[in-house]
Amino acid sequence: MNKPQVPDFLKNIRVVLARPNHPGNIGSAARAMKTMGLSRLYLVEPKAFPSDEANALASGAVDLLERATVVGSLQEALADVTVACALTSRRRELTTPLSTPRQTTPELIARAHEGEQVALVFGNETFGLSIEEVEQCNRLVTIPGNPDYFSLNLAMAVQVMTYELFSHTEVDVEYLRAEGEAATQSEVEGMCGHLGQAMEDIGYFKRRNSERLMRRMRALFNRAGVLREEIDILRGFYKQVQRTADGSLKKDEN
């Protein structure tokens, strides 16, 4: 199966990092973005950028860093945006409704699909977003976690949010499944017959109900949905067992 294509509308979603202190976090955030199909990175007053450390931690996503847009204010980063989500974990005195990534992402995907510009805004590693920065956003999103210990670093937060977005794109993982042809009922029955004979040859049925046991084995293999290649492997194994049992398999053939 051919690999699915990343939806083009994801280009309408940008990640904005406001005042990041550590270049390594910028690189790690770029890696998280690219893994989830996002490519547009905006940096608001980064303390150190470009940076070798950022490039090292981007791990294959250096192209996002090379195309990153560096601006002097959050207002510049959001100039053409219609939906801006402020990511925060702090209690704030704001009237903007608070939601989780899972609740918010369907709307973001729909808006981006319609051609609107969407932004995910993450704050400084130490202090997060300022109240003034949050007020420039029209959505407030919090990643839920353990109330007694909630400690996501910047790249982790980017990964969680971008994963939630990508999970709504309907890009599945079928292309990763191993290709194989399902065994027919006749092939499964033949393999079970071979198994029964091998069990007989090694004396396995001497103190067991062979009919009842083979019913169980047939049910097991029919339930498993085995492939033709797997049938061949099993029958090769049964044949080896039989040859060992009757002494026709020489030691140097083991």
Side-chain angles (χ1 to χ4, degrees):
M1 180 181 290
N2 294 328
K3 288 192 295 185
Q5 297 298 308
V6 173
D8 196 57
F9 66 80
L10 288 180
K11 293 178 182 177
N12 294 328
I13 302 175
R14 71 189 62 174
V15 169
V16 181
L17 306 183
R19 299 169 288 105
N21 277 332
H22 305 294
N25 286 334
I26 297 174
S28 296
R31 179 180 182 179
M33 289 171 59
K34 190 170 183 177
T35 301
M36 295 302 151
L38 300 187
S39 57
R40 298 179 63 199
L41 176 62
Y42 280 66
L43 303 174
V44 180
E45 295 185 304
K47 187 173 183 179
F49 188 81
S51 162
D52 290 340
E53 184 181 355
N55 291 347
L57 289 177
S59 186
V62 175
D63 56 320
L64 268 66
L65 299 180
E66 292 172 344
R67 298 197 305 269
T69 301
V70 180
V71 294
S73 68
L74 181 59
Q75 185 176 8
E76 291 179 64
L78 302 180
D80 59 340
V81 166
T82 56
V83 183
C85 296
L87 273 291
T88 180
S89 59
R90 301 215 314 262
R91 188 187 297 268
R92 296 178 183 275
E93 299 298 325
L94 296 169
T95 57
T96 305
L98 181 65
S99 62
T100 66
R102 191 156 297 175
Q103 293 167 334
T104 307
T105 47
E107 180 200 1
L108 305 185
I109 288 291
R111 301 283 285 263
H113 195 273
E114 292 300 314
E116 295 184 43
Q117 296 299 306
V118 174
L120 310 176
V121 184
F122 299 83
N124 172 275
E125 297 94 327
T126 304
F127 304 107
L129 293 168
S130 68
I131 190 66
E132 292 77 19
E133 289 169 332
V134 172
E135 287 175 340
Q136 294 180 57
C137 301
N138 47 20
R139 299 291 185 276
L140 195 59
V141 178
T142 291
I143 298 171
N146 180 0
D148 295 324
Y149 180 78
F150 189 73
S151 181
L152 284 181
N153 69 26
L154 178 57
M156 289 177 179
V158 172
Q159 188 73 83
V160 170
M161 190 66 191
T162 54
Y163 167 76
E164 285 292 343
L165 282 168
F166 196 78
S167 68
H168 286 82
T169 63
E170 299 182 358
V171 174
D172 60 35
V173 295
E174 286 300 313
Y175 73 99
L176 293 173
R177 296 188 188 278
E179 293 185 1
E181 204 172 341
T184 65
Q185 288 289 334
S186 176
E187 289 166 335
V188 174
E189 181 58 32
M191 182 269 293
C192 286
H194 194 169
L195 171 61
Q197 187 59 58
M199 287 176 155
E200 180 71 36
D201 291 348
I202 64 174
Y204 191 79
F205 292 140
K206 285 183 178 178
R207 296 184 180 182
R208 295 175 177 84
N209 185 321
S210 61
E211 186 177 339
R212 181 173 179 272
L213 192 149
M214 288 312 300
R215 279 201 304 269
R216 298 284 297 272
M217 297 306 294
R218 283 183 173 87
L220 184 154
F221 286 113
N222 282 322
R223 188 169 64 243
V226 292
L227 305 176
R228 281 183 166 174
E229 182 182 2
E230 294 166 339
I231 292 284
D232 292 340
I233 292 170
L234 288 170
R235 296 197 69 159
F237 171 68
Y238 303 155
K239 185 177 180 180
Q240 193 88 334
V241 169
Q242 290 173 306
R243 292 181 67 198
T244 301
D246 65 17
S248 64
L249 182 66
K250 298 177 182 178
K251 288 184 177 181
D252 59 1
E253 292 183 274
N254 286 325

